[in-house]
């Protein structure tokens, strides 16, 4: 097996090492980003749902930037929401701040019962720029 080409965002190595996973892996021209939640640098959740969504996107964008791309390069997005019946409208009111312009990436939204103290998680597959 080849060694994984891991992308780490600045200042969050300890968090990923503690939980034993890679934030993102480059492979065959794509970047596969692990689910990002609205965690502060110490790993604790933002209390307000809107802030949690913004922080999740900011954490995601830090990984994308470290790999030389941006959310504009996302081709597939999966979002996970605790209790989507009551949280979807709040979450989706924040999304346009980060989503960009059409054409949009594909998206799958999944309702879940548990996200380790978080209410929102986002993971993406992005196409890496040709030079990456």
């Amino acid at each position: 097996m080849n060694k994984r080409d891991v992308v780490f965002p600045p200042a969050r190595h300890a968090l990923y090492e503690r939980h034993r996973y890679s934030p993102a892996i480059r492979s065959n021209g794509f970047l596969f980003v692990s689910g990002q939640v609205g965690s502060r640098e110490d790993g604790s959740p933002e209390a307000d749902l809107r802030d949690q969504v913004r922080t999740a996107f900011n954490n995601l964008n830090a990984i994308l930037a470290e790999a030389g791309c941006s959310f504009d390069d996302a081709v597939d997005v999966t979002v996970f929401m605790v209790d989507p019946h009551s949280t979807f409208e709040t979450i989706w009111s924040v999304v346009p701040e980060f989503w960009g312009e059409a054409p949009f990436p594909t998206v799958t939204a999944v309702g879940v019962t548990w996200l380790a103290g978080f209410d929102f998680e986002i993971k993406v597959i992005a196409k890496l720029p040709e030079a990456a």
Side-chain angles (χ1 to χ4, degrees):
M1 181 174 142
N2 294 333
K3 187 172 179 161
R4 292 180 181 102
D5 184 7
V6 179
V7 176
F8 278 98
R12 293 181 62 94
H13 288 0
L15 182 65
Y16 292 108
E17 289 172 9
R18 181 173 62 222
H19 295 291
R20 301 183 54 81
Y21 70 99
S22 297
I25 303 284
R26 287 184 194 96
S27 181
N28 295 322
F30 288 93
L31 183 70
F32 297 84
V33 182
S34 291
Q36 298 299 303
V37 293
S39 64
R40 302 175 185 119
E41 286 203 21
D42 67 359
S44 65
E46 292 287 352
D48 177 76
L49 180 57
R50 284 181 180 85
D51 290 341
Q52 203 177 112
V53 174
R54 286 183 185 104
T55 302
F57 269 97
N58 289 332
N59 291 341
L60 169 65
N61 287 336
I63 293 169
L64 293 169
E66 190 67 23
C69 55
S70 72
F71 193 80
D72 289 340
D73 298 302
V75 293
D76 186 58
V77 176
T78 305
V79 295
F80 303 91
M81 296 170 273
V82 172
D83 191 17
H85 182 73
S86 66
T87 60
F88 181 82
E89 292 302 323
T90 301
I91 290 168
W92 231 247
S93 72
V94 176
V95 167
E97 296 174 24
F98 299 92
W99 212 254
E101 301 295 323
F104 303 112
T106 64
V107 65
T108 301
V110 181
V112 298
T113 59
W114 184 80
L115 287 173
F118 296 90
D119 297 306
F120 174 81
E121 183 171 338
I122 182 169
K123 68 183 294 325
V124 305
I125 299 170
K127 178 76 171 101
L128 290 165
E130 294 298 324

